[in-house]
Amino acid sequence: QERSYIMIKPDGVQRALVGEILSRFEKRGFKIVALKLVHSTKEHLEKHYGDLKDMPFFPGLIKYMASGPVVAIVIEGLDAVKTGRAMLGATKPLESAPGTIRGDYALAVGRNICHGSDSVENAQKEIDLWFPEGIVQYTDDKATWIFEN
Ligand code: GTP
Ligand code: MG
């Protein structure tokens, strides 16, 4: 099964949306394979958002992301990367559809609640960056009711 790295950003934690967001991924059918609360360093976040380092909003983005703890999550399931992104909604809240996490809870692009990997390749890099200790293995008994064989 495919994996994606999902992160609840500091505004999502401060606004007490952790349970709500986790619940959406659980209810959709994804298996939570890793989960932790971390107050990340700027150095670590600069690695995570390395592709955006030349963007004008980069310093503000790093400051925002380092302003409080985030919840680091790895989900596993069918098409986890694309479906995970669809559940987040578009980057800009003006374009994010109601029913998506951003479309339901965010108004500003620079305070958009959550992150999701944008490709399978980047998901693997982000999982390695945020979970260098590795991921717990366990059997998910509900899987037979969620996936076709
Ligand atoms: P992530 O899941 O966080 O990676 O968002 P994304 O993939 O939807 O967008 P992208 O990777 O292009 O940008 C990363 C983050 O930078 C966004 O989620 C926003 O928080 C922030 N960001 C992107 N564009 C802008 C912008 O124009 N202005 C500001 N202030 N922030 C932006
Ligand atoms: Mg991105």
Side-chain angles (χ1 to χ4, degrees):
Q1 292 282 7
E2 192 170 291
R3 287 176 172 174
S4 185
Y5 176 65
I6 302 290
M7 174 162 55
I8 304 175
K9 297 180 178 184
D11 49 337
V13 174
Q14 294 292 340
R15 292 176 55 193
L17 293 170
V18 173
E20 165 66 26
I21 293 169
L22 261 179
S23 186
R24 288 184 181 221
F25 288 101
E26 283 191 303
K27 287 175 188 165
R28 184 74 190 252
F30 287 113
K31 179 181 177 184
I32 307 289
V33 293
L35 178 67
K36 64 183 175 186
L37 183 83
V38 248
H39 195 155
S40 191
T41 63
K42 287 191 172 176
E43 292 69 36
H44 186 84
L45 291 158
E46 281 163 6
K47 279 185 204 158
H48 173 80
Y49 279 126
D51 293 349
L52 300 174
K53 65 177 185 299
D54 297 325
M55 303 303 273
F57 57 81
F58 185 74
L61 173 63
I62 298 301
K63 198 176 167 200
Y64 154 54
M65 291 298 299
S67 66
V70 300
V71 177
I73 305 161
V74 181
I75 59 167
E76 185 180 279
L78 194 64
D79 298 321
V81 167
K82 278 193 179 160
T83 301
R85 293 276 289 187
M87 289 173 69
L88 300 192
T91 308
K92 295 178 179 153
L94 197 60
E95 292 161 12
S96 43
T100 65
I101 294 165
R102 290 165 174 171
D104 286 348
Y105 302 117
L107 286 174
V109 66
R111 295 290 183 275
N112 64 356
I113 307 277
C114 50
H115 160 82
S117 306
D118 60 11
S119 68
V120 173
E121 193 192 356
N122 283 338
Q124 192 53 56
K125 283 186 197 160
E126 291 170 3
I127 292 166
D128 293 342
L129 179 66
W130 289 89
F131 292 95
E133 68 273 29
I135 279 173
V136 176
Q137 300 294 324
Y138 70 100
T139 304
D140 178 11
D141 290 326
K142 75 184 187 317
T144 52
W145 298 100
I146 294 170
F147 304 111
E148 299 174 86
N149 285 331

